[in-house]
Amino acid sequence: MIQRNNSYRLLPFKFTHIGNKELIVNEVGDYLFMPNGTVQRVISGSVNRNTEEYRDLLSKFIICDSYNDILQDVIATRIRTKKSFLDGFTSLHIFVLTLRCNQKCVYCQATSQNKDCVNKDMKIEDLNKAISLMLKSPNPHITMEFQGGESSLVPSLVEHAILETERQNKSVGKEIKYVICTNIIHFSEELLNLCEKYNVFVSTSLDGPESIHDSNRGVSGSYKHFVDSLLRIRERLGQDRISPLMTTSVLSLNYPIEIVDSYRQLSFHYIFLRPLNPYGRAKENEDWNLYFDKFLEFYKKSLDYILLLNKRGEFFVEGFTAMVMKKILTPFPIGFVDLQSPAGIINSVVVYNYDGYVYCSDESRMMAESGDFTFRLGKVSDKYEDIFYGKKAQALSRVWATEYIAGCSDCAFQQYCGADPVRNYSTQGDWYGHRPSSLFCKFHKAVFEYLFELIDRRGNEVLPIIRRWIYD
Amino acid sequence: MNSFRIIGNKKAQFNIDANMFSKSVIMKVLYWLNNDFVVQTTSHESQLLVELESNNDTDWNIMKKTISTMLNDFQMREVIEKETHDIRNILYVKAFSNIDNFTEYDTEE
Ligand code: SF4
């Protein structure tokens, strides 16, 4: 250990260079921009007491006067808060009720099958067992999400799932939030009644103006059906009970402003700019390096436009930025499974597939469709402990935290980023992954750098807007 | 880092003094280089000869500065890690030590 003549101690921190400054980030994600050369001076003991620099470093837990108990307790509590998403264990339980779909999305990640295909719906016995597993989760707050394929093609399964959950939950007493993921192309009265009765939240997808939406769906007339159903759902359930996700196809990349405007035209005040994932049908057709370079430009243009709208007085949120900024600006974790460490798989999300098996994420069950069962955790009839704490879950836990995997363990963005062994395996062939060639790493690093540049250069202008997004 | 030699557009060699940088620091730098370059190393006493070869044209003057910054940065990270290793462990142990309802499950494959 270096003996410093003015006797301060170092606390764990990471750093990187942004522009001509050093960005220093402590163990719980608090950051400081300092002039280049600061880290060298900090570790060599040259920072003088009674300076503003010393006080800044002290208040951000980069240095301390001593490792006393009170300080340790404060930082330990902060760490615990940052990782509090682990407290209840798995909260999001995805049920793939069918693989059948009525659209042909160009980027389909779910390996969906024709709507008339047979043997692609979940069996009632499997569904009942999966519900029992879900209710064994220690988490008192559960989100049960119906996915596909297209879940509106199996309204009777959705209804059974809800009724059976309500029945089994009588003796368990968990708080259950139901979400149906659907393209709302044919959203029946039967489903509307169910959603109304059981407070089901409708999660849908809208990719932009009519031409882009229809082109991405691979079926003409989709947009018109979407708008019709949207109005019906809003009228019955209320304005805020339906929310869309946007997926950025190759075509979408050229229309950042038009896509944001299409959301505004339909009275949405929120968009989540989501890139394609290299799974399912999307995997085959992309030069992923080029795609992510272009997506980054798309993201920056859209975000700039959205910030301008907010400056003009319109409240409109970009969801991805809001999530990342919440990690940067607040002591709290976020519920976005891609950016969690330990990873979102198993800890936050699990998938009960139509085939009666349990997978550790949506991507894992998609891989299973192409014959790769690496991330199959077990059958719905297996013991809860064997699925959730079994050998496979234990093996995954050795590679699922940014705090200890190569590359991430030194990275200044470690506290904001996530580890994903499934993505590593799917794109790089092994669970551990190789950060220098990882597109996940390249993309997220670029986003973090961009957002920190924004904070540094335009903080006075953008931070009040982003704080409203986070706290409203 | 010393004796940085550029060999055509695609290749460069340089020496790292292993007395100045630990093996771990050197390996971390090479780790981040091996996506863009084929990296080969040869040891001569305390000198490590590194050869980088790329398929693409590289601005070696920028690369030289980048590698030098990486070596310094990883060396500083090593100092921070060594000095804070124990306190970091203590902080994590304290953060999660009061989970009193933890159950050891007997699981099988
Ligand atoms: S994936 Fe990349 S950006 Fe994210 S923590 Fe790891 S090294 Fe940093």
Side-chain angles (χ1 to χ4, degrees), chain A residues 350-368:
Chain A
V350 75
V351 176
Y352 309 95
N353 203 18
Y354 75 96
D355 59 7
Y357 285 91
V358 186
Y359 294 87
C360 57
S361 68
D362 218 17
E363 293 75 25
S364 321
R365 60 101 180 182
M366 292 169 197
M367 269 184 240

Side-chain angles (χ1 to χ4, degrees), chain A residues 1-4 6-11 13 42 49 54 58 61-67, chain B residues 83-84 87:
Chain A
M1 189 207 311
I2 292 172
Q3 289 300 317
R4 296 183 181 83
N6 50 6
S7 75
Y8 61 82
R9 312 283 298 265
L10 299 188
L11 284 163
F13 69 89
V42 169
R49 279 172 180 273
Y54 189 91
L58 204 65
F61 299 122
I62 310 293
I63 60 172
C64 60
D65 292 328
S66 78
Y67 294 151
Chain B
E83 183 165 341
T84 61
I87 185 69

